[in-house]
Amino acid sequence: MPPRWLCCIIVLFWLATTGWLFWHDLRPRLLPGEPPMFNIDLVEEVHKSGNPLKTNWIVERQDRKQSEPHQVFRASTWVERKQEDVYTLRAELDASKDPNFQPVTVSSLFKIDLITSAYSVTRSGQLHALEATVKVHVKWGSSPLLQLFDRQPDLFQKGSSTDSISLRVWGEVHDQQLFAHCSASNASEESPVKKPIMQLDLPPAAVSYSGSVLMPLHPVDRIPGLRLGQGWRQPLVDPLSDAFSFLPGISSGVRWLHARVRPQPEVLKLNGGETRCLVIEYTNDENETVGRTWVEEDGERVLQQEAILEDIHWIMRRESTRRSGMGLLGS
């Protein structure tokens, strides 16, 4: 048997380790009202270099005047290892992958080509930063745009019928607050000028211990630990609204949602099959439903995410139960 002083050191070390584990990992999950943390799949860590494993999605959009949604983007989500304990959860929504996809327009002024977004999180699931970029084509024939950009004559060649603009939203978490910003700049390859057209700071928003923030067009791969009837309050960052906030009638800034897991599982029909899912429903302060997330009951994978943004219904469906990358298929 080791000496008594060594036994005391071992016990103290065990108590300190257990206390740290409870405070930093278990406590946030047990607190009522805490949103689920971002989850890093252990399989992702095996592919921390080289081609990442990707999850593919189909994105549909439905306006109020349309009876059925139509496909607008093919999307991919994946994880990259940024540094020792920080990972980046990435998403890319591309409208050019399929010629049958209908282009997405905003106020008849812009045609959206590409949307990218990223969460930077620690292994334990805490958010460090987020970023989203929307690349659009501008229709210069619209007089509102000519008036909007007439103060920057050197930024755009308004003699052409179209031009490209990169709209970017980004933010970092400090002291459990998200500090976000928004900017727009010329994205045309032939233009040497990349100065921002506009830049603004969004009001800071408090986030929970986990720092969980919802971007409606960026579903995470898994949401672990959901319980029937569980509820929490969660900030929403909508890069589309924030990026186009300079247009009349489009709001910006971080909004708060009330999230609750429905009291009973529901069956989701997807890819010719049926899967029992836990459904997270998001409502605003007026108790209006603004989104839903369908999470596989057994595997905890996100299979579908829906959002209502500026009266437009967006639906992201997981395209396959298998994932592609490096010539391998995984679950």
Side-chain angles (χ1 to χ4, degrees):
M1 181 175 178
R4 181 174 298 179
W5 64 267
L6 182 57
C7 292
C8 291
I9 292 177
I10 293 174
V11 171
L12 289 175
F13 177 78
W14 179 82
L15 289 174
T17 304
T18 303
W20 182 90
L21 176 65
F22 175 80
W23 184 264
H24 287 275
D25 191 17
L26 299 181
R27 173 181 169 271
R29 302 173 189 269
L30 297 176
L31 285 176
E34 274 290 306
M37 286 187 171
F38 293 99
N39 182 63
I40 302 297
D41 194 330
L42 292 178
V43 176
E44 305 288 0
E45 299 189 40
V46 178
H47 297 274
K48 59 189 176 184
S49 61
N51 295 328
L53 293 170
K54 291 189 176 183
T55 300
N56 298 317
W57 309 77
I58 291 295
V59 185
E60 298 179 334
R61 164 178 158 155
Q62 183 177 5
D63 297 344
R64 286 186 298 175
K65 298 180 181 179
Q66 295 175 325
S67 58
E68 296 290 336
H70 56 273
Q71 295 182 351
V72 291
F73 293 112
R74 188 176 299 277
S76 297
T77 56
W78 68 96
V79 176
E80 295 176 355
R81 187 169 184 176
K82 188 176 180 181
Q83 55 192 54
E84 182 63 27
D85 193 42
V86 179
Y87 295 81
T88 301
L89 286 62
R90 296 195 178 276
E92 179 181 274
L93 288 70
D94 194 341
S96 65
K97 296 293 179 65
D98 192 324
N100 296 320
F101 287 2
Q102 300 183 25
V104 176
T105 58
V106 178
S107 301
S108 301
L109 307 176
F110 303 94
K111 181 171 73 73
I112 300 176
D113 293 331
L114 181 70
I115 301 175
T116 62
S117 56
Y119 294 104
S120 293
V121 302
T122 64
R123 186 195 303 268
S124 61
Q126 291 178 280
L127 179 69
H128 272 196
L130 58 80
E131 180 179 1
T133 302
V134 183
K135 186 177 180 181
V136 299
H137 275 298
V138 182
K139 298 180 180 180
W140 286 115
S142 172
S143 58
L145 282 181
L146 293 176
Q147 296 173 5
L148 181 64
F149 298 131
D150 61 357
R151 296 182 182 179
Q152 293 85 12
D154 59 330
L155 293 181
F156 292 95
Q157 300 174 353
K158 292 195 284 287
S160 60
S161 59
T162 61
D163 211 332
S164 294
I165 294 180
S166 178
L167 304 165
R168 179 171 173 253
V169 178
W170 73 100
E172 295 182 350
V173 175
H174 300 287
D175 298 324
Q176 293 185 221
Q177 280 197 310
L178 174 65
F179 297 88
H181 319 275
C182 180
S183 70
S185 59
N186 188 357
S188 299
E189 295 181 0
E190 64 275 8
S191 175
V193 182
K194 301 298 181 183
K195 293 186 299 184
I197 307 164
M198 70 91 180
Q199 184 165 323
L200 57 91
D201 298 327
L202 303 177
V207 295
S208 66
Y209 171 86
S210 68
S212 181
V213 173
L214 176 67
M215 282 196 286
L217 296 182
H218 186 156
V220 296
D221 185 59
R222 296 173 186 266
I223 302 180
L226 289 180
R227 306 183 305 275
L228 295 175
Q230 179 184 3
W232 63 89
R233 195 163 178 255
Q234 186 167 16
L236 165 73
V237 173
D238 174 13
L240 276 179
S241 294
D242 292 335
F244 293 101
S245 59
F246 55 84
L247 295 176
I250 297 183
S251 59
S252 65
V254 179
R255 276 80 68 191
W256 285 93
L257 300 179
H258 303 277
R260 183 165 296 278
V261 182
R262 287 181 175 175
Q264 297 296 330
E266 299 184 15
V267 174
L268 175 67
K269 296 182 179 181
L270 188 68
N271 301 325
E274 295 184 348
T275 306
R276 281 172 57 91
C277 293
L278 302 181
V279 182
I280 307 172
E281 190 167 57
Y282 304 95
T283 58
N284 58 20
D285 289 335
E286 288 72 39
N287 203 32
E288 299 170 332
T289 299
V290 296
R292 299 180 185 90
T293 300
W294 301 74
V295 183
E296 191 177 39
E297 184 178 33
D298 296 331
E300 299 180 329
R301 295 177 304 170
V302 174
L303 300 184
Q304 181 169 300
Q305 185 155 295
E306 305 177 4
I308 300 174
L309 307 174
E310 305 295 339
D311 294 329
I312 298 174
H313 192 189
W314 298 83
I315 306 168
M316 296 191 70
R317 294 191 177 97
R318 188 183 285 253
E319 191 173 13
S320 173
T321 57
R322 297 185 297 177
R323 309 166 72 190
S324 62
M326 301 183 68
L328 301 176
L329 293 175
S331 60

